[in-house]
Amino acid sequence: MKAVVCRSPGELVLEDRPAPGAPPAGWALVAVSHVGICGTDYHIFEGKHPFLAYPRIMGHEVSGTVVETGEDVDLAMGEPVIINPYLACGKCIACRHGKPNCCLRIEVLGVHRDGAMAEKILVPAQNLYPANGLSLADAAAVEFLAIGAHAVRRARAEPGARTLVIGAGPIGLGAALFARIAGLDVSLLDMSTERLDFAKGELGFATLDGSQKAAAELVREATGGEGFDIVFDATGNTASVQSAFAHVAHGGTLVLVSVVKDDIVFSDPEFHKREMTLIGSRNALKVDFDHVAASIRNGAVPLAKLVTHRTTLAGTPDDLARWAHEKSGLIKAVIEVGA
């Protein structure tokens, strides 16, 4: 089969790879249809991922069609599916508590093991969710949106809560969309005027332009000095995460959606004075995938606006390398593998 392989940082090639064998019991062979390109994929290509072994077939935002199943799999041949790329052990304390998204031994397709920038892939059947009427192009967008939907669900905010999403990239936009779907009053903060113009003009969000004023001043102006009830940080930037504590209102909640490698330092007196709640949010659960899929079906998610760039498997080595540096106009890029 054809596969796009990142052989080493900066080296992305289309190769012939052996096709996966017959699926074992509990697994299925999926013909890949569409793959979203994530920030993680750009980081892998650029050599910025701290725990990755090369060579690697990337790709974890995936839709496809079941072409073969192992024993004890209740999926029909030809079934269109959404792939949950988080492979959990099923036995650790997180898995036993119904949180396979933070399994102690989690393996993410395209990161810890080879992913879906290829014509076919083997996946545990429990990680395949029937698309149930979603197009395969739309089904490939479910995973990245589920990250934001999970973070919003973790926040447990009441409708109407004054909410700030920091970072207007794909994950931040997903969090903002599902915060709005949950009835929250959402504003977006970013340093990119272009991304904020998109968020405001195309998606209808209130925006705070961090390139014009200090974030603290913008927050004071937007909230009358009170701060936001709920703050989501989706920047992946250490300084942004640390400054986000000061944007939270007394009694409010800070949700860390993105991950940084550094230690996070904050003022404990300020944290306690606010009686703030600090929440980590990692990956997503089936309930989040289901919520996203339903929201796409009912028209609450404007996917046609979010997917701005498209390529093919053969075009991916050149296009991904270019998009890693040419970000203008780019929100979400999708590889049409089997289209």
Side-chain angles (χ1 to χ4, degrees), residues 47 58 62 74 105 119 145 155 160 181 197 201 239 243 287 300 326 333 339:
M58 302 181 293
V62 197
D74 187 21
R105 290 176 285 278
E119 292 176 318
L145 291 167
I181 289 169
D197 287 345
S243 65
V287 63
E326 296 179 7

Side-chain angles (χ1 to χ4, degrees), residues 19 28 49 51 69 79 132 160 166 179 188 209 225 253 271 287 306 331:
H49 198 287
F51 307 114
T69 60
E79 177 88 67
N132 288 336
I166 309 172
L188 272 160
D209 190 344
T253 297
F271 179 78
V287 63
L306 296 175
I331 301 297

Side-chain angles (χ1 to χ4, degrees), residues 193-212:
T193 300
E194 180 183 9
R195 284 191 168 182
L196 292 176
D197 287 345
F198 175 85
K200 182 177 182 178
E202 298 295 329
L203 303 180
F205 286 109
T207 58
L208 307 179
D209 190 344
S211 71
Q212 301 299 312

Side-chain angles (χ1 to χ4, degrees), residues 25-142:
W27 289 59
L29 180 64
V30 176
V32 176
S33 176
H34 291 73
V35 183
I37 300 176
C38 174
T40 298
D41 301 318
Y42 295 119
H43 289 158
I44 292 170
F45 170 73
E46 294 171 325
K48 296 178 181 178
H49 198 287
F51 307 114
L52 186 119
Y54 297 89
R56 177 63 71 227
I57 299 174
M58 302 181 293
H60 62 272
E61 302 175 4
V62 197
S63 68
T65 303
V66 175
V67 294
E68 187 178 351
T69 60
E71 295 180 7
D72 303 319
V73 174
D74 187 21
L75 287 167
M77 298 302 99
E79 177 88 67
V81 291
I82 302 160
I83 294 181
N84 178 335
Y86 322 128
L87 277 57
C89 73
K91 299 177 181 178
C92 71
I93 185 169
C95 290
R96 296 197 309 271
H97 289 170
K99 294 181 67 68
N101 60 307
C102 56
C103 167
L104 268 69
R105 290 176 285 278
I106 198 168
E107 290 187 300
V108 179
L109 296 177
V111 180
H112 304 99
R113 61 164 63 198
D114 282 341
M117 290 186 188
E119 292 176 318
K120 294 181 180 178
I121 188 170
L122 282 171
V123 184
Q126 66 184 10
N127 288 69
L128 299 176
Y129 308 147
N132 288 336
L134 279 188
S135 71
L136 285 168
D138 288 352
V142 171

Side-chain angles (χ1 to χ4, degrees), residues 130-166:
N132 288 336
L134 279 188
S135 71
L136 285 168
D138 288 352
V142 171
E143 191 274 341
F144 95 84
L145 291 167
I147 302 293
H150 182 72
V152 171
R153 190 167 59 82
R154 292 272 291 147
R156 299 180 178 178
E158 295 292 330
R162 193 158 50 188
T163 300
L164 179 66
V165 177
I166 309 172

Side-chain angles (χ1 to χ4, degrees), residues 240-269:
S240 175
V241 172
Q242 294 185 160
S243 65
F245 284 80
H247 305 332
V248 181
H250 282 234
T253 297
L254 173 60
V255 184
L256 303 185
V257 189
S258 59
V259 180
V260 298
K261 294 186 292 183
D262 305 306
D263 292 340
I264 298 300
V265 179
F266 60 92
S267 166
D268 185 62

Side-chain angles (χ1 to χ4, degrees), residues 41 65 78 139 153 175 187 219 225 228 249 258 261 292 308 312 332:
D41 301 318
T65 303
R153 190 167 59 82
S187 298
V219 169
F228 284 89
S258 59
K261 294 186 292 183
V292 170
T308 55
T312 62
K332 173 58 64 173

